[in-house]
Amino acid sequence: MTQARKPRPPPGSRLTVGEITDLFRRLRAANPHPTTELEYTTPFELLVAVVLSAQATDVGVNKATRKLFPVANTPAAILALGEDGLKRYINTIGLYNAKAANLIALCRQLLERHGGEVPRTREALEALPGVGRKTANVVLNTAFGEPTIAVDTHIFRVANRTGLAPGKTVRAVEDTLMRVVPEDFKRDAHHWLILHGRYICKARKPDCQHCPIRDLCRWPEKNHPGEQTRAA
């Protein structure tokens, strides 16, 4: 006698509280200690790397900072390079002209207002040139251990596809995630969701066959065993 097949959850619905807990348990089991793929050793290096990462890949940023940080990895040292000097290290990154200008202004403000240290509050971080809410969330979470969630394109996609935290805007998704993610998982949720979106729940060719949360996912376009993968 064959066992009855478990019904698939309805497409487009939200995950239940129990399913959300199960989702993060599985992501934690697969990667117990997630972290950013940006290379850094200090909060300031992380801040610089995150500013540079806007509309750029972590791989591309790391290639640039491997050359920059041995030469200049403090606000004073980068300020001493000057805008043109800084550009020589980051000119392989998209929007490097604007990013160089922002980083010089950021370093000057850190020295003038914060004693050269990266501030630990959202308000102070968002007041820095080139730093928005997403960058502030990354720094607060990764450098200082705050339970913040920075919603980038990967997290926005995963949250909407799976039914974890559907929302039409980045801020709406962030607010929902902060409400529904259990406290035990909130510290690392940012990294788990980014990595899942980067390597499994990809935009064009999601790897549903190897997805650890496929049975929970509410995305109507997801494929099941034996089905061909369809792009988003």
Side-chain angles (χ1 to χ4, degrees):
M1 184 176 179
T2 58
Q3 188 175 4
R5 190 175 185 179
K6 184 180 178 180
R8 296 176 181 176
S13 60
R14 290 176 178 263
L15 298 183
T16 66
V17 173
E19 288 171 330
I20 290 172
T21 299
D22 193 11
L23 179 151
F24 282 106
R25 281 176 178 163
R26 296 184 197 183
L27 295 181
R28 180 170 64 185
N31 186 1
H33 305 291
T35 188
T36 181
E37 293 186 319
L38 292 170
E39 297 173 0
Y40 74 99
T41 58
T42 66
F44 177 71
E45 287 186 356
L46 176 65
L47 175 59
V48 170
V50 178
V51 170
L52 292 175
S53 71
Q55 299 185 45
T57 66
D58 288 0
V59 171
V61 171
N62 289 337
K63 286 181 179 178
T65 56
R66 284 171 196 159
K67 298 178 181 177
L68 172 64
F69 289 157
V71 175
N73 70 339
T74 66
I78 286 184
L79 200 59
L81 285 178
E83 193 170 323
D84 289 338
L86 178 57
K87 286 179 184 179
R88 288 197 290 270
Y89 290 95
I90 66 171
N91 61 12
T92 56
I93 299 174
L95 306 176
Y96 72 91
N97 285 313
K99 290 174 182 179
N102 280 333
L103 283 174
I104 291 297
L106 178 152
C107 289
R108 184 175 292 112
Q109 192 163 311
L110 285 179
L111 289 168
E112 292 175 353
R113 302 183 187 180
H114 303 286
E117 299 295 323
V118 176
R120 300 181 66 131
T121 67
R122 178 186 305 283
E123 293 75 17
L125 283 167
E126 290 187 23
L128 296 171
V131 176
R133 185 177 181 86
K134 184 175 72 173
T135 297
N137 278 338
V138 173
V139 173
L140 289 170
N141 177 269
T142 306
F144 301 130
E146 298 291 334
T148 57
I149 300 176
V151 179
D152 68 349
T153 56
H154 297 301
I155 292 183
F156 187 81
R157 179 172 65 253
V158 170
N160 275 284
R161 276 184 178 173
T162 60
L164 170 62
K168 294 184 178 180
T169 66
V170 166
R171 184 59 188 272
V173 169
E174 179 189 335
D175 289 344
T176 301
L177 285 171
M178 293 300 294
R179 187 175 68 253
V180 304
V181 175
E183 289 299 322
D184 287 349
F185 301 105
K186 199 167 285 182
R187 169 67 177 81
D188 292 319
H190 165 80
H191 297 300
W192 281 319
L193 294 174
I194 280 182
L195 295 172
H196 186 71
R198 184 173 290 165
Y199 296 111
I200 299 291
C201 195
K202 296 174 283 190
R204 293 188 178 275
K205 293 183 178 180
D207 189 9
C208 299
Q209 298 294 333
H210 297 98
C211 176
I213 59 171
R214 182 178 58 199
D215 58 312
L216 303 174
C217 179
R218 300 295 202 262
W219 188 42
E221 297 298 314
K222 71 176 178 178
N223 64 86
H224 296 269
E227 295 179 1
Q228 187 175 1
T229 301
R230 291 176 288 182

